[in-house]
Amino acid sequence: MNMTINAQKAGSRLLLSGNEAIARAVWESSVRVCSGYPGTPATEILECLAFYPDLYSEWSVNEKVALEVAFGATMTGARAFCAMKHVGLNVASDPLMTITLTGVIGGLVIAVADDVGMSSSQNEQDSRYWGRFAHLPVIEPYDSQSAYNCIKSAFELSERFETPVLLRLTTRVCHVKSLVTIGLRQEKDNPGFKLNSSRWVMVPNNARRRVPLQFERDRKLKEFSENSDLNSVEIGKDKSIGFITSGPAYLHLKEIAPDASILRLGLSHPLPIEKIKDFSKHVERLVIVEETEPLIEAELRAEGLSVLGKDFLPRFGELTPDILKKSINQILEKNAAEPKISSVTGTDVFPRPPTLCAACPHLGIYQALSAMRNKVIIMGDIGCYTLGAGHPWNALDSCISMGASMGMALGIDKARGKSDTKKAILAVIGDSTFLHMGIQGLLNIVYNQGNITILILDNRTTGMTGGQNHPGTGRNAHGEEAPRVDFAQLTAALGVKKDRIKVVDSYNLPFLFQIIRDEIRISEPSVIITNRPCTLIEQFERLLPHQVLEDKCTGCGNCIDIGCPAITVREHAQEEIDGEMFDLTFAAIDSNACTGCKMCVSICGSEAITPIVEMARNPL
């Protein structure tokens, strides 16, 4: 891979996603240290950087640590890069708000990817707010080539003004591919760390002296923004509307209104107010097209400009060409018919709700929790195991933020209502999420003597974002061997009694059910750790697929209740037993999806599920 990277000639054109283009530009910019935490849509940036030579890259345990690692590198004069999704910047905001005061020596670019439309996130945030809040310049690319160029500009801007720079991305920029003209890595000297306690030690007296410098930097950045090539004006044939936009909405506008007059903001904070005022003189009215909050709109109105924006445009979701066309028609007082969406061969596509994979080690946990649903309150967390909230398990009662299951469980325990006094309280959390932000929550439960059972679902990967490594996998970001956390020892070190720590095989459903039932009866913190790997990683061992023997199947439906997508309903029936009618559900197993985990075997009372031995004799 490294030979391929170095063999690519300057001026070559490659088909790259925005994430891939950013990684390439980071490498070319002589960056020494790259850090991040996986989160869609930003994950692939660091995955790509792990293949590049001449730089250090790591998956950090969370975004706060990632930013601190990157910032530490810049204190030596080296360039550093940090990547995360929008909710990750919330986690990193503590150091962020101080390093904007200290400033940086080497360039520091923080790429934050907003999941506009919430395709894989619990909320939709507009990270441009951080530019205003933290006094940071905000750069917004609109496609892969733009993202590549913006990285180069961001590092130059960072070092010129000694400030971190926020690169605000969106899902469409991150994942859509387009042609990118590349260059080669330009090496840059690293002078090394120099003592400067008045700058780096942010006690109140030192911090107060930095504030006027921050304000002076704001003034200089505003002057820079007025003349920056990152902000471009296109006066088109149509001057009835002047659009002010940023990000991928710019391309969508060009698609539906190729003759429009547009001011594109590549450096969207600080706003080039005078440039905008001059642009307004060439058009009849101004329309602000921004994803997602009306930030620019509000700031321009505060400047006394008459603008249109969220009066017609939606406050959430992507501003796709169809949506923009409808909204602009409304502005122009035309008939704004709903956009037509062509159907596939005239038939409706059967809905496919998200579900856990066949043989997923979380299936057994949720089958057990579902069976005792009326006796437990279950606080959930962020990960692929969040799907346990859906059908057929309905076995999660919350999902808020990384690690929140722990604190919320303790809060419910300490404020039990009348209906909660007889219910057990559980917190379900994954291995990566536990290391990210759950350790402190468990420590808090132990310290404050919470009556809670914690389920740490260790599938040895960061499953939700595609299988990245973390300190619990025994591998680093490059796939090399690394120390692996022992969750049993870790939880014991946090104060959980050793006899209240159980490591279980999540495929052994009867034993798993018994362990959960026993632990929720204990009036002190207890931890149950599962130990089966994710079915999508190398450590997973696929066994012989199974089949249902129709002549033995009694229709009890126990195997169906697991929720494994490899098990399907063959037929429904009713049977009268002792004068009472019972619903029967007869099952079948898709041998192509089955991995032979035997969960269904362990709860089939009629022994109707057996391996398909013939497939062993005649492997595909």
Side-chain angles (χ1 to χ4, degrees):
M1 182 69 180
N2 292 352
M3 291 179 61
T4 303
I5 289 168
N6 290 324
Q8 291 166 346
K9 297 179 180 179
S12 298
R13 300 189 75 196
L14 305 177
L15 184 65
L16 303 175
S17 68
N19 284 343
E20 292 168 334
I22 289 166
R24 176 76 195 194
V26 166
W27 175 70
E28 290 182 17
S29 299
S30 191
V31 171
R32 293 285 185 90
V33 173
C34 303
S35 58
Y37 184 82
T40 304
T43 304
E44 295 83 6
I45 301 175
L46 204 80
E47 286 185 329
C48 293
L49 282 167
F51 288 105
Y52 281 92
D54 310 316
L55 56 76
Y56 168 79
S57 59
E58 72 168 42
W59 284 126
S60 306
V61 294
N62 64 31
E63 295 85 359
K64 177 180 182 292
V65 173
L67 181 55
E68 291 160 349
V69 168
F71 176 62
T74 70
M75 294 170 74
T76 72
R79 284 183 169 182
F81 174 81
C82 189
M84 62 196 71
K85 70 182 295 181
H86 62 288
V87 290
L89 194 53
N90 302 337
V91 178
S93 62
D94 189 3
L96 176 72
M97 297 302 292
T98 301
I99 67 177
T100 60
L101 267 181
T102 65
V104 298
I105 303 299
L108 173 58
V109 176
I110 305 165
V112 54
D114 286 2
D115 187 9
V116 179
M118 295 176 282
S119 61
S120 60
S121 304
Q122 66 270 39
N123 64 37
E124 181 185 67
Q125 293 175 205
D126 192 329
S127 294
R128 296 177 302 162
Y129 274 115
W130 288 107
R132 282 75 175 168
F133 191 21
H135 299 262
L136 290 176
V138 178
I139 293 180
E140 294 189 69
Y142 56 87
D143 66 1
S144 298
Q145 182 69 66
S146 171
Y148 171 92
N149 295 339
C150 282
I151 285 289
K152 304 291 187 75
S153 300
F155 277 110
E156 292 171 4
L157 186 66
S158 177
E159 291 178 343
R160 176 173 175 177
F161 294 98
E162 296 191 354
T163 178
V165 174
L166 202 64
L167 184 75
R168 193 255 185 155
L169 308 168
T170 66
T171 303
R172 193 164 292 267
V173 173
C174 290
H175 289 165
V176 172
K177 292 198 173 191
S178 59
L179 288 173
V180 178
T181 302
I182 62 167
L184 296 177
R185 183 174 171 89
Q186 302 296 317
E187 291 300 335
K188 181 178 179 294
D189 290 336
N190 176 13
F193 178 73
K194 295 181 180 179
L195 296 175
N196 188 349
S197 60
S198 65
R199 181 173 186 177
W200 305 127
V201 182
M202 282 290 96
V203 293
N205 281 341
N206 290 341
R208 280 192 287 266
R209 285 194 288 266
R210 298 294 302 180
V211 174
L213 299 176
Q214 185 184 66
F215 291 152
E216 176 63 13
R217 185 183 71 204
D218 289 347
R219 184 189 65 78
K220 291 179 179 179
L221 280 166
K222 189 170 181 58
E223 290 179 358
F224 177 84
S225 179
E226 294 289 352
N227 301 295
S228 173
D229 292 338
L230 290 165
N231 300 322
S232 62
V233 173
E234 303 171 17
I235 303 296
K237 296 178 182 177
D238 185 357
K239 301 180 182 63
S240 60
I241 296 179
F243 294 101
I244 299 176
T245 190
S246 63
Y250 164 71
L251 292 180
H252 299 160
L253 274 174
K254 295 287 288 183
E255 181 177 335
I256 66 167
D259 296 328
S261 297
I262 300 174
L263 195 166
R264 181 183 60 79
L265 296 171
L267 178 59
S268 63
H269 179 74
L271 278 179
I273 299 297
E274 297 305 317
K275 193 182 196 82
I276 292 171
K277 288 181 177 179
D278 181 69
F279 175 69
S280 70
K281 296 174 184 178
H282 296 85
V283 296
E284 296 177 18
R285 47 187 164 175
L286 290 176
V287 175
I288 314 302
V289 179
E290 54 186 326
E291 296 174 342
T292 53
E293 299 286 345
L295 269 72
I296 298 172
E297 181 181 339
E299 291 182 9
L300 292 184
R301 284 180 172 163
E303 291 287 338
L305 289 171
S306 176
V307 299
L308 299 173
K310 297 302 180 181
D311 331 58
F312 297 92
L313 292 163
R315 287 286 298 267
F316 66 93
E318 290 188 301
L319 299 180
T320 61
D322 284 340
I323 290 173
L324 284 177
K325 188 172 184 179
K326 176 183 176 182
S327 300
I328 293 168
N329 281 341
Q330 289 177 332
I331 293 171
L332 296 174
E333 298 178 349
K334 293 181 179 179
N335 294 325
E338 290 286 344
K340 295 181 179 179
I341 303 174
S342 59
S343 60
V344 181
T345 65
T347 60
D348 293 330
V349 178
F350 187 79
R352 185 178 182 269
T355 189
L356 296 170
C357 300
C360 173
H362 306 330
L363 287 168
I365 287 288
Y366 288 123
Q367 197 275 342
L369 293 179
S370 180
M372 55 182 74
R373 197 65 188 89
N374 62 338
K375 300 178 182 179
V376 293
I377 299 171
I378 310 165
M379 296 292 99
D381 225 296
I382 302 294
C384 52
Y385 52 90
T386 308
L387 293 170
H391 184 78
W393 316 281
N394 303 313
L396 282 185
D397 296 319
S398 72
C399 175
I400 299 299
S401 62
M402 298 283 279
S405 62
M406 315 293 263
M408 292 164 60
L410 182 62
I412 290 178
D413 178 43
K414 298 301 183 181
R416 288 176 183 264
K418 292 181 180 179
S419 63
D420 305 329
T421 54
K422 294 183 179 180
K423 289 186 177 181
I425 300 172
L426 295 95
V428 180
I429 191 167
D431 48 345
S432 178
T433 309
F434 180 73
L435 296 173
H436 176 281
M437 201 59 75
I439 294 174
Q440 300 92 326
L442 177 56
L443 180 61
N444 194 54
I445 288 172
V446 174
Y447 174 66
N448 291 293
Q449 303 176 60
N451 182 11
I452 296 160
T453 300
I454 296 95
L455 295 168
I456 301 177
L457 310 187
D458 180 13
N459 63 356
R460 303 180 197 174
T461 189
T462 311
M464 178 177 63
T465 51
Q468 292 75 32
N469 287 310
H470 60 70
T473 66
R475 300 277 177 179
N476 63 17
H478 307 276
E480 302 161 343
E481 287 191 17
R484 181 185 172 199
V485 169
D486 185 316
F487 286 98
Q489 291 187 20
L490 176 58
T491 52
L494 293 173
V496 181
K497 295 178 182 178
K498 289 188 177 180
D499 60 346
R500 295 274 64 82
I501 301 171
K502 309 294 183 182
V503 180
V504 300
D505 180 355
S506 56
Y507 283 171
N508 188 337
L509 297 189
F511 181 67
L512 179 63
F513 186 90
Q514 178 185 337
I515 288 292
I516 295 175
R517 183 193 59 192
D518 292 346
E519 291 305 311
I520 63 177
R521 292 173 177 171
I522 304 297
S523 298
E524 61 182 328
S526 63
V527 174
I528 300 170
I529 304 166
T530 63
N531 63 1
R532 284 281 182 174
C534 170
T535 61
L536 303 179
I537 65 174
E538 292 180 1
Q539 290 89 334
F540 178 75
E541 182 182 356
R542 190 182 180 99
L543 302 173
L544 285 176
H546 283 60
Q547 63 185 339
V548 176
L549 302 177
E550 294 185 11
D551 58 334
K552 286 190 174 184
C553 180
T554 62
C556 68
N558 286 344
C559 59
I560 297 290
D561 292 339
I562 295 173
C564 178
I567 304 174
T568 58
V569 176
R570 176 165 49 87
E571 64 175 309
H572 290 288
Q574 283 193 328
E575 183 174 324
E576 184 177 349
I577 302 176
D578 296 331
E580 188 175 352
M581 299 300 295
F582 289 89
D583 290 321
L584 302 178
T585 304
F586 296 92
I589 295 177
D590 182 352
S591 60
N592 293 315
C594 178
T595 66
C597 69
K598 300 182 181 179
M599 277 189 284
C600 53
V601 176
S602 67
I603 58 173
C604 179
S606 59
E607 299 182 351
I609 303 176
T610 62
I612 304 178
V613 181
E614 290 78 8
M615 294 190 73
R617 299 195 187 104
N618 300 293
L620 295 177

